[in-house]
Amino acid sequence: MMIVIHTVEMLLDVDYEEVLLLFKRNKIKAEVYEKFGAVVKKLTQSLKDEHPAFAFTWLSSKGEGLWNIHLKIDIVRLLRKSNITEKDYPLVESHIKKFLIAQFGHSSHFDQHRLTRIDYKLDVVIPNKNHQKLIFHLFEKYTKKYRFKEMIKYGKNDKGEAIKYETSQYHKNNSVEFIIYSKEDERLAKNEIIEPYEKDVIRYELRLKNRHLNAMKRTDGKGKGRPKKLIEYFKEDLYREYMCEHITPIARKGDYYKITKAEQILEASHFTRKKKEKLRSFLIEISKNGIDSPKENLSAPTYRQYLKDLESIGINPVLVPKNRTDFPTFMKNPFRINSSN
């Protein structure tokens, strides 16, 4: 089982002399810049050629000569591969420490690092463009809100600015974000090179932000007592747990069918005639008005049971539109991760 951590962000505690050393090593003359943000931007630009996987996103003073360095690391770019396993952790740590040695002359800052964000992902290769289009069309029918994550139709970057491609969708709150998007379209929108391992890729990405990591660190019964350390989140079981817990209830299990094929599967199922009719009506209602619509006329236990019934016979509750000739009559659900439990 692979675990793919796309990006991580962490805080490093340094003193002011080390900040000055960092500027000196990267030939940054901070005094010539009017705004400190320009200094940080220049600092990151100076790293690109030699250390393309690393970026300093901010430097902040805590007072009394103590500073925080906000470090962002692209793990995929760091290892130069897309498929990453738990066994890769020692190599990741080694690369990070080598970078810190290059910048500060030692790597001890890593031992006290505090994780502030981690992005998990699942990449699925879908060469057929109509199948890709279908994925995003179907997501329009999915829940508008799950676990306080609001659906946002179009993507946004870290600054909150709209991304100029439509093959994306966010579900986000202040702690966790889920986004599904075309990696190729993202690269094209940003005028960036499409890497070989990004061709025809639809990415399911889950972003755990600092607020969530802080909550998981709590030991008062409201958290997991999980330290904010990279090694703690670099575990396959935890990756599966997060992806299943946060994405499966939105993407749902089961494959995608047009109504005719779904009816055939229902007819051959073990359900009673009355249940078959109710499940068919349930599917039709979702197809017309979205997956949340049946909640208006069904009790919560019945609604959940119908979803489980469809899952048991391999039907995704969101149907392929019957009148769209450009869409296939059947498509396997590309989001497939088995729970660690």
Side-chain angles (χ1 to χ4, degrees), residues 1 235-245 337-341:
M1 172 68 186
K235 296 175 180 177
E236 293 172 10
D237 284 350
L238 190 62
Y239 166 79
R240 284 198 297 267
E241 179 184 321
Y242 268 112
M243 297 295 273
C244 289
E245 182 180 346
I337 290 183
N338 294 323
S339 172
S340 58
N341 298 324

Side-chain angles (χ1 to χ4, degrees), residues 22 25 28 32 116 120 173 178 197-198 205 214 224 227 233 268 305 334:
L22 186 65
R25 285 184 184 275
I28 305 294
V32 305
T116 57
Y120 289 132
N173 60 26
F178 160 51
Y197 53 79
E198 295 171 337
E205 187 170 305
N214 283 334
K224 302 286 187 179
Y233 285 86
Q305 185 59 51

Side-chain angles (χ1 to χ4, degrees), residues 204-220:
Y204 295 79
E205 187 170 305
L206 187 69
R207 302 169 179 174
L208 309 180
K209 297 189 285 187
N210 193 43
R211 186 171 178 175
H212 177 82
L213 300 178
N214 283 334
M216 292 299 99
K217 184 183 70 172
R218 294 176 63 165
T219 57
D220 58 1

